[in-house]
Amino acid sequence: MAGFAATNLIGTALLSLPISSRSGEWTGFVDALFTATSAVCVTGLTVLDTATHWSPFGLVVILVLIQLGGLGIMIFASLVGLALARKLTVRSRLNTAAEAKAVGYDDVRGLVRGILLISLIIEAVTFCFLAPRFMLAYGYGPAEAAWYALFHSVSSFNNAGFALYSDNLIGFAADPWICLPLCGAIILGGLGFPVIMQLRKEFRRPLHWSMNTKIVLWATATLLVGGTVYITVFEWSNAETLGAYDPATRLLIGFFHSVQTRTAGFNSVDIGLMHDETWLGMDVLMFIGGGPAGTAGGIKVTTFAVLFFIMATELRGEGAVNIFGKRLSRAVHRQAITVVLMAVAAVMVATISLMVITGLSFDRVFFEAVSAFGTVGLSTGITGDLPDAAEIVLVLLMFLGRLGPLTLGSAIALRQRRILYEYPKERPAIG
């Protein structure tokens, strides 16, 4: 957390400099801090127009902060996984390694090298899709097309949502050659490094996949399809959003925005013109987020899936929670509940604070708070008009949402107190 805070401050200092703005003037501290935090925490919320306010130097700083933030989270999360593995017995560690085909527990260099290589390969492939499209369909020169493709490739894989256009990606709403490559990079970044590594090694042997990989793939596919259906249905006849396009494009836009709720934050229609019901559904998807040890935020799909299976087990009256043919550790039950309750508390405190500070309606403020906590970057259009105090609240929420669930979860898992006695059991009335 100290490392991310230091990176935020360095980014804030660089973005405050006159060389970082197109006007050649100093950028206010709070605005620079907000932008730096949004970049490092790969959120995408902006209080200044990315396309018009920042100079080429400022945009490069933002791009570097996005890359450092995305790589830092994946590396940190993977190292936490290794630390957790070392807490197990030798037999348990060997069984875990054999089951998950994990990177060697002592091969930290190999771990970091693998994360870096996978990130660069996915970004390079996305770049190869975008650059020719910018040149051939939109008349960009080679250098300009390369810059736009590079920026959006890095921003998409790291689930950042920063775009080089004042209207984000609204101008490309009907272009699948732009939208789908971005969606692919976002989904891969949101799966998480452990899942990508296992799929790379054992794609054709699903029986060997770990419980984590199966949960992430199952939950991601379910939420992507469910989100696409939900957004498309509720916005189908909205003339301000999907209703202005043909049916095929409406499906593309619905899928695109379902992907963005995985914590990416691009938008190809004006979010502020969507129906309230759509906002509420997107709130849920943004809060859940993507996979662990990846570039996505939220409470993570694994946490959500664990709670779902706990509920299903309780409703069936069974004793143990079984997921994909394996029994879930009881310690994970408590960890998932703790992470979710802490996340709910953080979002509600921030929402109340923003309502007091701004006087705005609950639906818009709540959407903004969930987007910040989930490091999504989608907004109903109020971010740029927020006072400094509200920006600080969102800065803290973005930082907490990016590192809070991970550090909290690892702290809970790594901290074990052995109590030599137990109190007698008693059951309070529930429900």
Side-chain angles (χ1 to χ4, degrees):
M1 293 189 75
F4 267 77
T7 306
N8 274 0
L9 293 177
I10 293 173
T12 300
L14 291 174
L15 292 177
S16 298
L17 298 174
I19 191 176
S20 294
S21 67
R22 288 185 183 274
S23 64
E25 299 178 352
W26 291 85
T27 299
F29 172 78
V30 175
D31 290 341
L33 174 65
F34 189 97
T35 304
T37 304
S38 184
V40 173
C41 296
V42 291
T43 305
L45 286 174
T46 58
V47 290
L48 300 171
D49 189 342
T50 305
T52 60
H53 179 83
W54 303 108
S55 67
F57 177 81
L59 292 175
V60 170
V61 170
I62 292 174
L63 187 66
V64 171
L65 292 176
I66 291 172
Q67 187 73 81
L68 289 176
L71 287 174
I73 282 292
M74 286 192 293
I75 292 172
F76 177 54
S78 299
L79 292 179
V80 166
L82 296 184
L84 290 174
R86 288 195 176 95
K87 297 287 288 186
L88 303 174
T89 63
V90 173
R91 180 181 295 276
S92 298
R93 287 168 57 184
L94 292 175
N95 290 339
T96 301
E99 175 189 329
K101 299 298 185 293
V103 179
Y105 291 120
D106 297 316
D107 187 17
V108 177
R109 290 185 179 180
L111 174 70
V112 175
R113 191 184 306 116
I115 292 175
L116 180 61
L117 183 62
I118 287 175
S119 300
L120 294 179
I121 288 175
I122 295 175
E123 291 171 356
V125 171
T126 308
F127 173 90
C128 291
F129 277 102
L130 297 181
R133 185 63 177 175
F134 282 131
M135 284 191 295
L136 299 177
Y138 298 97
Y140 290 12
E144 186 180 18
W147 164 242
Y148 275 77
L150 174 64
F151 189 95
H152 292 95
S153 298
V154 174
S155 183
S156 60
F157 174 71
N158 290 286
N159 281 224
F162 279 88
L164 295 179
Y165 303 94
S166 297
D167 61 355
N168 205 274
L169 298 180
I170 291 179
F172 304 100
D175 190 346
W177 295 99
I178 296 293
C179 293
L180 293 182
L182 292 176
C183 288
I186 291 165
I187 293 171
L188 290 174
L191 290 179
F193 174 74
V195 174
I196 295 176
M197 281 295 293
Q198 186 162 57
L199 291 178
R200 185 177 68 86
K201 294 180 179 179
E202 298 185 310
F203 181 76
R204 297 183 178 181
R205 295 193 293 178
L207 292 178
H208 292 190
W209 293 353
S210 66
M211 180 189 290
N212 180 75
T213 297
K214 292 178 181 179
I215 289 177
V216 170
L217 293 177
W218 168 80
T220 298
T222 301
L223 293 175
L224 282 175
V225 173
T228 300
V229 173
Y230 185 91
I231 294 171
T232 304
V233 168
F234 278 97
E235 294 297 318
W236 185 268
S237 59
N238 186 348
E240 302 292 338
T241 56
L242 273 65
Y245 298 92
D246 61 85
T249 303
R250 296 183 197 184
L251 290 175
L252 173 64
I253 296 174
F255 172 72
F256 183 80
H257 285 87
S258 178
V259 173
Q260 304 317 308
T261 59
R262 317 309 302 142
T263 79
F266 292 118
N267 63 281
S268 60
V269 295
D270 191 341
I271 302 296
L273 298 177
M274 286 183 167
H275 295 309
D276 294 350
E277 300 87 346
T278 308
W279 288 349
L280 184 58
M282 294 174 74
D283 287 334
V284 174
L285 295 172
M286 292 190 297
F287 185 76
I288 295 172
T295 57
I299 62 171
K300 304 298 187 292
V301 292
T302 46
T303 306
F304 171 76
V306 164
L307 294 180
F308 172 81
F309 282 111
I310 290 174
M311 178 188 69
T313 300
E314 189 67 25
L315 291 176
R316 290 195 298 262
E318 299 175 357
V321 179
N322 300 309
I323 303 177
F324 299 118
K326 294 184 180 179
R327 183 163 52 89
L328 185 69
S329 169
R330 289 190 179 275
V332 179
H333 301 194
R334 300 188 298 271
Q335 294 167 15
I337 293 171
T338 302
V339 168
V340 170
L341 291 180
M342 293 292 290
V344 170
V347 171
M348 294 311 300
V349 169
T351 300
I352 294 171
S353 300
L354 290 173
M355 291 179 67
V356 171
I357 294 171
T358 64
L360 295 172
S361 62
F362 169 79
D363 51 358
R364 291 182 180 272
V365 170
F366 183 67
F367 190 96
E368 203 81 5
V370 174
S371 180
F373 175 80
T375 67
V376 182
L378 294 174
S379 174
T380 58
I382 65 174
T383 315
D385 299 324
L386 295 177
D388 288 350
E391 290 185 30
I392 295 296
V393 171
L394 290 180
V395 165
L396 295 175
L397 197 57
M398 286 189 287
F399 194 79
L400 176 63
R402 192 63 201 157
L403 290 178
L406 178 59
T407 52
L408 175 63
S410 60
I412 293 172
L414 290 171
R415 183 183 181 185
Q416 295 180 355
R417 291 179 57 193
R418 177 172 294 180
I419 300 177
L420 302 179
Y421 58 89
E422 291 186 356
Y423 291 107
K425 291 183 178 180
E426 187 173 348
R427 291 175 63 92
I430 301 297

